[in-house]
Amino acid sequence: AMSRAFDRELDEAQRLLEQLLREAPRNAGQVSNLGTVQRWRGLPRQSQETFEQALVMDGNNVGAHAGKAYAQ
């Protein structure tokens, strides 16, 4: 999914991440990746909420901490 995001196929990346999260909803790394894609899509408020969800799942998730800082 993130390879799509790096290729700037952000809609497809978000769709793939949401599909992965339906199958494994407690995967903090994928939730953090979704937050990153949301931020890249220009959705700072939504990405902030998503990063916070990832941190509830795993308070040590570095990607979620970094993403939350950038989303502010």
Side-chain angles (χ1 to χ4, degrees):
M2 290 309 287
S3 64
R4 297 291 176 106
F6 292 125
D7 287 340
R8 292 296 185 208
E9 297 175 27
L10 300 177
D11 290 339
E12 180 66 7
Q14 183 164 340
R15 186 191 70 75
L16 290 170
L17 285 164
E18 289 171 347
Q19 180 180 343
L20 289 170
L21 288 169
R22 280 191 293 278
E23 297 169 13
R26 301 289 303 162
N27 186 322
Q30 295 297 358
V31 173
S32 179
N33 287 340
L34 178 59
T36 298
V37 169
Q38 291 168 334
R39 183 171 53 87
W40 291 351
R41 292 185 68 207
L43 304 168
R45 188 171 293 159
Q46 190 174 359
S47 69
Q48 183 82 295
E49 291 173 7
T50 302
F51 288 128
E52 289 173 8
Q53 290 173 359
L55 290 170
V56 167
M57 293 176 199
D58 177 4
N60 296 317
N61 187 297
V62 175
H65 280 288
K68 186 176 174 185
Y70 282 113
Q72 293 181 354

